[in-house]
Amino acid sequence: MDEINQTFVSEFLLLGLSGYPKTEIIYFALILVMYLVILIGNGVLIIASIFDSRLHTPMYFFLGNLSFLDICYTSSSVPSTLVSLISKKRNISFSGCTVQMFFGFAMGSTECFLLGMMAFDRYVAICNPLRYPIIMSKSVYVLMASVSWLSGGINSMVQTSLAMQLPFCRNIINNFTCEILAVLKLACADISLNVITMMISNMAFLVLPLLVIFFSYTFILYTILRMNSATGRHKAFSTCSAHLTVVIIFYGTVFFVYAKPKSQKQPREDKLQISDKLISIFYGVVTPMLNPIIYSLRNKDVKAAVKYVLNKKTIQ
């Protein structure tokens, strides 16, 4: 990596797959198709959750938030990635990198909390159905979603400000985007504070929601197994399977990337770490693309609502 004399940099250079020009063309086509699927799929889910009264429930309110979040998250990084792949323009300004890092981290943190909220919603719906309208009233689930967004924004503001106030000795980011761990490797100062705050963030936004999900589904499974009706068990499983699938995919990739903050100093740092970049693409593009597909395929209400909205638009 090229060294620069000053500790302040005005822009960063995103390597991406610069060493593999043929692969870049393939990646451009794949990412473009996936991004269009993300916009269309999540957009249709948002419209369906707004205009179909059958989806005016806490579960689909959270799903609408999740779809909006996926659109925001991918739109903060995918367009610039596509430009760099097709035009070879790999530089990004310091402020642009800061904005990209903030939105990426904020959306990821918010999604962790939203998935935990959705698990709690399913727990109340299945284990306490008679009290569900009281516990999950509109004011409650709107507050839960608001807390998720606010907490994610605050967490990202703290992490981004701590990272971008560091002096940087290098300006070449070995990634597609301004991912916070990749940027921290460029600092020529002690990043102990960043590592500590990242660990605290991991506990709050990864471990805590995961515990909520685990205990929620433990009680859900216990309740389902006690049901006498096979129809009731099937319905309960069907309402939870889509959420569980999304949780497994999301947390699997996030824990791989963030569970263990990487050291600032790594041997042979100049070589492309293809596996990490593939995981980054999977986490940043594939997961948001799969969310609407999973919920549409595994949920009859969502499929019916999507058909209703599409038919209504066609008639008009």
Side-chain angles (χ1 to χ4, degrees), residues 268-306:
R268 301 164 70 178
E269 195 175 6
D270 57 323
K271 292 193 174 182
L272 294 174
Q273 302 168 355
I274 300 299
S275 61
D276 287 349
K277 294 179 182 181
L278 291 176
I279 290 294
S280 176
I281 287 293
F282 188 86
Y283 167 68
V285 182
V286 178
T287 303
M289 180 190 69
L290 290 177
N291 286 352
I293 297 175
I294 292 171
Y295 277 103
S296 298
L297 292 177
R298 303 302 298 270
N299 193 297
K300 294 181 179 179
D301 292 335
V302 172
K303 287 191 286 187
V306 170

Side-chain angles (χ1 to χ4, degrees), residues 47-65:
I47 295 172
S49 65
I50 293 174
F51 291 102
D52 194 325
S53 59
R54 292 172 295 182
L55 300 187
H56 292 175
T57 65
M59 176 181 175
Y60 298 111
F61 175 77
F62 288 127
L63 179 57
N65 275 261

Side-chain angles (χ1 to χ4, degrees), residues 41-217:
N42 286 289
V44 169
L45 273 181
I46 293 172
I47 295 172
S49 65
I50 293 174
F51 291 102
D52 194 325
S53 59
R54 292 172 295 182
L55 300 187
H56 292 175
T57 65
M59 176 181 175
Y60 298 111
F61 175 77
F62 288 127
L63 179 57
N65 275 261
L66 188 63
S67 296
F68 179 69
L69 182 148
D70 284 337
I71 292 176
C72 293
Y73 175 72
T74 52
S75 296
S76 68
S77 59
V78 171
S80 62
T81 299
L82 291 173
V83 170
S84 67
L85 286 172
I86 196 66
S87 68
K88 312 304 179 185
K89 182 182 178 182
R90 307 183 190 281
N91 60 305
I92 182 173
S93 66
F94 186 90
S95 58
C97 185
T98 302
V99 171
Q100 190 177 87
M101 183 188 298
F102 170 79
F103 278 103
F105 207 87
M107 297 301 106
S109 302
T110 302
E111 185 162 357
C112 290
F113 267 23
L114 279 177
L115 291 175
M117 302 293 187
M118 293 172 75
F120 177 76
D121 171 70
R122 291 299 84 206
Y123 158 74
V124 178
I126 294 174
C127 300
N128 296 280
L130 297 179
R131 300 182 59 194
Y132 182 75
I134 300 175
I135 298 176
M136 296 299 297
S137 63
K138 185 175 182 179
S139 59
V140 171
Y141 66 74
V142 169
L143 177 62
M144 291 168 67
S146 301
V147 169
S148 298
W149 284 96
L150 182 61
S151 300
I154 293 174
N155 181 47
S156 181
M157 188 179 298
V158 172
Q159 299 296 337
T160 302
S161 60
L162 287 176
M164 301 311 282
Q165 71 180 3
L166 291 168
F168 295 103
C169 297
R170 292 162 289 179
N171 69 336
I172 300 178
I173 300 176
N174 191 16
N175 210 320
F176 289 99
T177 63
C178 288
E179 195 271 330
I180 188 168
L181 296 181
V183 173
L184 287 177
K185 294 178 186 178
L186 309 180
C188 52
D190 183 23
I191 61 170
S192 299
L193 179 60
N194 302 81
V195 173
I196 293 173
T197 56
M198 187 72 71
M199 291 176 63
I200 296 173
S201 175
N202 288 341
M203 292 297 295
F205 288 88
L206 291 178
V207 178
L208 182 59
L210 194 59
L211 287 176
V212 173
I213 294 170
F214 174 78
F215 284 110
S216 294
Y217 277 103

Side-chain angles (χ1 to χ4, degrees), residues 228-271:
N228 296 323
S229 170
T231 304
R233 287 196 297 270
H234 177 74
K235 183 178 180 181
F237 273 121
S238 65
T239 59
C240 297
S241 58
H243 178 254
L244 269 178
T245 304
V246 170
V247 166
I248 292 171
I249 295 174
F250 177 78
Y251 271 96
T253 52
V254 170
F255 264 103
F256 186 90
V257 176
Y258 287 103
K260 295 180 180 180
K262 298 178 183 179
S263 173
Q264 181 184 7
K265 297 179 181 180
Q266 293 194 2
R268 301 164 70 178
E269 195 175 6
D270 57 323
K271 292 193 174 182

